[in-house]
């Protein structure tokens, strides 16, 4: 049974840097104590949400490889029969969905905040009584349930597609919008329910992406082989509905809802102020987010097709993608734990540097070698990259709360994910344009590998900029 709710003052440590970095006076705020049961519920529901959204996005490469294969039964004319297959356009189906999942936060977070505090209802003209009635029906659950329904509708409509532009509208646009409506109401308030172990908790939650990819990659590949693309999408639509609705119903409220401060009723900030946007830490964070998102998705998009080029089957490729997601899931939890001990900024810089180095050391070498050594180098890359790539996902939510303050978390997180959405839509399509002719073998991917390494190196440099600017503003600390 859940313990009785009590209130305790929110300390400067819990607030993050708002109260310690000269960002204004410490708010006189009382927040309810969170029970272990509530924390466990949030961990589980957010974990499943990440699996259904990010987990699916991380295994879209299985669909991409299928659409480009000669065995696909949906698109006419078949991309495999074309002289220049539309690889970049098909990659954009996946990255559009992924990008909208994140970019939608710029609208969903303010909407959720207004719903929580009844702002729209109170500000609606009394002449619009019908409008007030409609707005009263809007709740967090309305948004999340709508997201699940839109996602399932997108997959269902995609099953009737016969051209790439139809996939863009359904499996790309509709599914991406639905995922955003589910993702942010469940993820935005999650860090508020944890303090000392926030990075560990967020690492566990975000490990749902790897867990989802681990499960979905081989299952989707098996379905594509056995029942074809259309029925795979329909089956996935039903699964998404069954798994998503209970999670959508469990959406938590922000802990700041109904909490009073010295300035009046508490409400999460959902817009980035001009003063905040001009800070060096914010600018470096935005650049790092764009570059990391552009670079991180590239290997996931091309793992299946590159593996097939090396001579393995499509099923082997799906299993490798699943293995990558499994390693990534475990890595997120461990790196989140390491971040709580060694400093989140330090750990983030090191993991990004390791990810970029693995691209140059192993993927580039594999693409240049084109011998019996290519496959071992590629397998080494998948393992090392999967370990290191989870660092950013595990650490950046806790890092935002640490650098900008928990009250600024919703606003900064929404904007950073908005930027990441554009980065995701930028990296893989450009990589598709850089893809060489299939007659070149592994050499067709060399420009993609260089592009990926450059993006991740740029993200590493930008994160070092965040570390420098934050240390300059608050005083240098080795553990940060």
């Amino acid at each position: 049974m859940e313990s009785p709710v009590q209130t305790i003052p929110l300390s400067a440590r819990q607030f993050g840097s708002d109260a310690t970095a000269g960002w204004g006076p410490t708010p006189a705020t009382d927040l309810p104590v969170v029970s272990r049961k509530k924390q466990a519920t949030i961990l589980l529901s957010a974990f499943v949400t990440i699996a259904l959204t990010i987990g699916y996005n991380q295994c879209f490469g299985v669909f991409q490889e299928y659409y480009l294969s000669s065995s696909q039964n949906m698109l006419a004319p078949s991309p495999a029969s074309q002289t220049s297959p539309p690889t970049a356009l098909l990659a954009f189906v996946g990255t559009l969905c992924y990008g909208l999942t994140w970019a939608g936060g710029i609208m969903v977070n303010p909407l959720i905040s207004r719903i929580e505090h009844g702002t729209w209802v109170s500000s609606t003209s009394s002449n619009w009584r019908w409008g007030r009635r409609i707005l009263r029906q809007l709740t967090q659950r309305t948004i999340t349930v709508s997201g699940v329904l839109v996602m399932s509708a997108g997959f269902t409509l995609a099953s009737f597609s016969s051209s790439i532009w139809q996939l863009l509208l359904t499996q790309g646009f509709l599914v991406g919008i639905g995922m955003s409506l589910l993702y942010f109401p469940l993820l935005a308030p999650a860090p508020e329910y944890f303090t000392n172990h926030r990075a560990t908790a967020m690492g566990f939650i975000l490990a749902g992406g790897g867990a989802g990819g681990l499960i979905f990659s081989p299952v989707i590949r098996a379905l594509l082989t056995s029942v074809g693309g259309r029925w795979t999408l329909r089956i996935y639509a039903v699964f998404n509905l069954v798994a998503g609705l209970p999670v959508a119903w469990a959406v938590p409220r922000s802990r700041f809802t109904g909490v009073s401060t010295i300035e009046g009723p508490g409400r999460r900030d959902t817009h980035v102020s001009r003063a905040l946007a001009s800070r060096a830490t914010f600018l470096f964070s935005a650049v790092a987010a764009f570059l990391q998102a552009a670079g991180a998705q590239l290997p996931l998009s091309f793992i299946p097709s590159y593996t097939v080029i090396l001579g393995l089957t499509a099923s082997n490729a799906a299993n490798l993608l699943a293995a990558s997601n499994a390693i990534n899931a475990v890595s997120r939890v461990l790196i989140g734990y390491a971040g709580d001990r060694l400093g989140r900024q330090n750990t983030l810089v090191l993991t990004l540097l390791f990810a970029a180095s693995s691209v140059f050391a192993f993927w580039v070498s594999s693409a240049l070698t084109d011998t019996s050594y290519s496959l071992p180098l590629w397998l080494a890359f998948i393992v090392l990259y999967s370990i290191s790539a989870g660092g950013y996902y595990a650490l950046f939510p806790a890092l935002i709360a640490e650098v900008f303050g928990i009250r600024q978390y919703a606003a900064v997180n929404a904007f950073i994910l908005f930027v990441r959405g554009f980065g995701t839509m930028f990296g893989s399509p450009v990589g598709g344009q850089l893809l060489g002719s299939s007659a070149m073998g592994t050499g067709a991917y060399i420009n993609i590998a260089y592009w990926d390494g450059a993006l991740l190196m740029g993200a590493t440099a930008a994160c070092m900029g965040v570390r420098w600017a934050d240390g300059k503003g608050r005083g240098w600390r080795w553990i940060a």
Side-chain angles (χ1 to χ4, degrees), residues 34-51 186-187 189-195 197-209 211 247 250-252 333:
V34 181
S35 68
R36 296 286 186 181
K37 181 180 178 181
K38 183 66 174 179
Q39 288 181 324
T41 301
I42 289 171
L43 281 174
L44 180 61
S45 59
F47 179 90
V48 176
T49 298
I50 289 290
L186 278 137
L187 267 293
E192 300 170 8
Y193 287 82
F194 305 92
T195 52
H197 302 289
R198 183 177 290 140
T200 305
M202 294 308 295
F204 173 82
I205 289 172
L206 294 170
V247 173
V251 58
V333 179

Side-chain angles (χ1 to χ4, degrees), residues 124-142:
T124 305
S125 171
S126 59
N127 296 328
W128 289 16
R129 293 181 181 177
W130 59 271
R132 293 168 67 90
R133 292 194 185 101
I134 292 175
L135 292 175
R136 285 195 186 98
Q137 303 306 312
L138 282 178
T139 64
Q140 293 97 318
R141 285 176 177 169
T142 307

Side-chain angles (χ1 to χ4, degrees), residues 270-306:
T270 56
H271 295 286
V272 175
S273 66
R274 186 175 300 177
L276 176 59
S278 64
R279 291 181 177 270
T281 49
F282 183 85
L283 296 175
F284 278 122
S285 296
V287 172
F290 182 88
L291 295 176
Q292 194 276 339
Q297 184 64 14
L298 267 168
L300 297 177
S301 296
F302 293 99
I303 280 177
S305 58
Y306 187 83

